[in-house]
Amino acid sequence: MTFRSPARATAVTALGVGALTLLGFGTATAAPETATWADNGTVYNRTISNTTPSAGDTITVSTKLERTNATDEQINWLKDWHPACLTYVVDSAKIIDSAGTHAVEPYLELNPEFIAGDFTATSYKVIIKEHFGDVQPATFSAQYKVGADCAKGVALTTGIEYLSNLGHHADFKTRGPAITVGGVPGGGTGGTGSAGSPLGALGSLLGGFGSSK
């Protein structure tokens, strides 16, 4: 009759958990990043919820626009530029301003490399302002699903472009942050236990913990 002592079973379990973490089977950690810049009295904070996603992941991209002087800026339209391998998540585009959260659809153009919100057609107006310390910014956000056709390990640029009463801002298409796609959903590296794979290596690590007679 075979049996396994509690101490040996505990050691195998601990080693297994440690080996899984070491070999990349732990919980994936999102890597959010923000790019900040300023131009013509407006400060931009553009945040991506995970700049190192895996294929199949969904990421959120948010751009906050904030005035630093007393001249109001009214946004006519805004394009959110993204790699063509990202797919826009329907109904996720939102604009958040001092009046609350507004849906952008159906006034949203979909293009393989950008989405564009037309705020001249909406029932609300997007106006950012700063009056005697009363700052009223606006944030445009949307979600995208990362496609399997995204180039792995390559920095893919993102950015914005928009038209306002203060002019056409066309120089921010690649201001970032960039995203770098890699791995598989969950942060693992794949493998089914074949020779040379992470699971195969795990099997070798655990091979020495056989049953006691």
Side-chain angles (χ1 to χ4, degrees):
M1 182 175 68
T2 61
F3 68 94
R4 175 171 296 175
S5 70
R8 185 175 293 273
T10 300
V12 171
T13 302
L15 177 60
V17 172
L20 285 172
T21 302
L22 178 64
L23 295 174
F25 290 87
T27 302
T29 301
E33 186 175 337
T34 298
T36 301
W37 70 96
D39 181 74
N40 195 30
T42 300
V43 175
Y44 309 87
N45 287 278
R46 182 172 165 82
T47 301
I48 296 181
S49 62
N50 186 4
T51 54
T52 57
S54 300
D57 288 349
T58 297
I59 62 174
T60 301
V61 181
S62 302
T63 304
K64 180 180 179 181
L65 300 88
E66 184 175 331
R67 290 296 291 167
T68 59
N69 65 40
T71 303
D72 294 352
E73 183 170 18
Q74 180 171 333
I75 312 299
N76 296 328
W77 54 258
L78 185 147
K79 292 182 180 180
D80 191 81
W81 287 86
H82 60 80
C85 63
L86 299 187
T87 301
Y88 167 70
V89 176
V90 176
D91 290 331
S92 67
K94 301 288 187 295
I95 193 80
I96 304 170
D97 60 16
S98 59
T101 301
H102 315 278
V104 179
E105 296 181 40
Y107 306 107
L108 186 71
E109 177 187 353
L110 302 181
N111 182 282
E113 295 183 324
F114 65 79
I115 60 173
D118 180 5
F119 304 116
T120 63
T122 60
S123 59
Y124 57 88
K125 302 303 177 186
V126 180
I127 302 174
I128 57 176
K129 59 181 66 179
E130 192 284 322
H131 288 169
F132 304 103
D134 178 20
V135 180
Q136 298 182 28
T139 301
F140 181 90
S141 69
Q143 292 184 325
Y144 300 95
K145 186 171 182 178
V146 180
D149 57 333
C150 285
K152 306 299 189 296
V154 178
L156 306 173
T157 59
T158 75
I160 63 167
E161 174 187 3
Y162 74 100
L163 177 69
S164 74
N165 61 311
L166 301 181
H168 181 197
H169 305 267
D171 300 329
F172 306 149
K173 296 179 183 179
T174 60
R175 292 302 293 258
I179 65 171
T180 303
V181 180
V184 296
T189 55
T192 57
S194 60
S197 74
L199 286 178
L202 178 59
S204 298
L205 283 173
L206 300 179
F209 289 87
S211 301
S212 298
K213 299 289 186 181

